[in-house]
Amino acid sequence: MNVDRWRVLKQTWGSLSRREQGLLLGLAGALSVALAYTAIWQPTWQRREVAERQYQQQAELNARIQRAEPTRDMTVATRPLSVRVNESATAAGLDMAQMEVDGDSLRLAVSGEASALLHWLDQQEREGAVLRSLTLEVENGVLGARVVLRQ
């Protein structure tokens, strides 16, 4: 803005009545507040609300994960480990060569197809058996396992 335009603006402002000057200053103040609200305050609060929602969702998900446990069939857990192991090995098509109960442990020698044997071992752990030791051997194309399980 050059000097001449500034003088014209100052003369125009001076020629206005005090009431008009007050109204224009009020309008300028209201526009400044509205501009500050829409440009600064509102987007900030919207981002804050989105962040709070995301935080709540993450906190709920975290709580659900902390509470989550693998589903276990309660009838399976009440039966003796030796019975469960024998029945599930037979159902999986595995050959049980040896089973020996030693206190709370169960020593096994099992053989069969590799994927069926590994799936069976995973199933035992999911049903609550604790794998204390495991030795795997391949003999004549058949996977054999010597396992010590504990309830």
Side-chain angles (χ1 to χ4, degrees), residues 91-146:
L94 302 174
D95 295 324
M96 184 78 64
Q98 175 187 1
M99 179 186 293
E100 178 182 324
V101 177
D102 183 21
D104 66 342
S105 296
L106 186 62
R107 296 178 193 278
L108 307 168
V110 185
S111 61
E113 184 208 347
S115 64
L117 180 57
L118 295 175
H119 178 73
W120 176 79
L121 287 168
D122 180 55
Q123 178 188 357
Q124 297 311 304
E125 285 187 312
R126 289 180 188 270
E127 290 178 357
V130 177
L131 189 64
R132 293 182 79 182
S133 72
L134 172 65
T135 305
L136 298 173
E137 300 172 346
V138 177
E139 201 173 299
N140 298 329
V142 176
L143 183 63
R146 295 200 180 278

Side-chain angles (χ1 to χ4, degrees), residues 7-8 35 48 65 79-80 87 89 93 101 105 114 116 131 138 148:
R7 270 192 222 135
V8 172
L35 179 64
R48 182 181 159 268
I65 289 172
R79 293 179 13 219
E87 288 177 356
V101 177
S105 296
L131 189 64
V138 177
V148 178

Side-chain angles (χ1 to χ4, degrees), residues 5-6 10 21 23 29 36 46 54 58 60-61 64 66 73-75 86 96 99 105 110 113 117 122 126 140-141 147:
R5 287 190 180 178
W6 183 253
K10 192 174 181 183
Q21 287 177 355
L23 288 173
Q46 288 174 341
Q54 288 175 342
Q58 291 298 319
E60 289 172 11
L61 179 61
R64 287 175 49 200
Q66 294 297 326
D73 186 2
M74 291 312 288
T75 59
N86 191 33
M96 184 78 64
M99 179 186 293
S105 296
V110 185
E113 184 208 347
L117 180 57
D122 180 55
R126 289 180 188 270
N140 298 329
V147 184

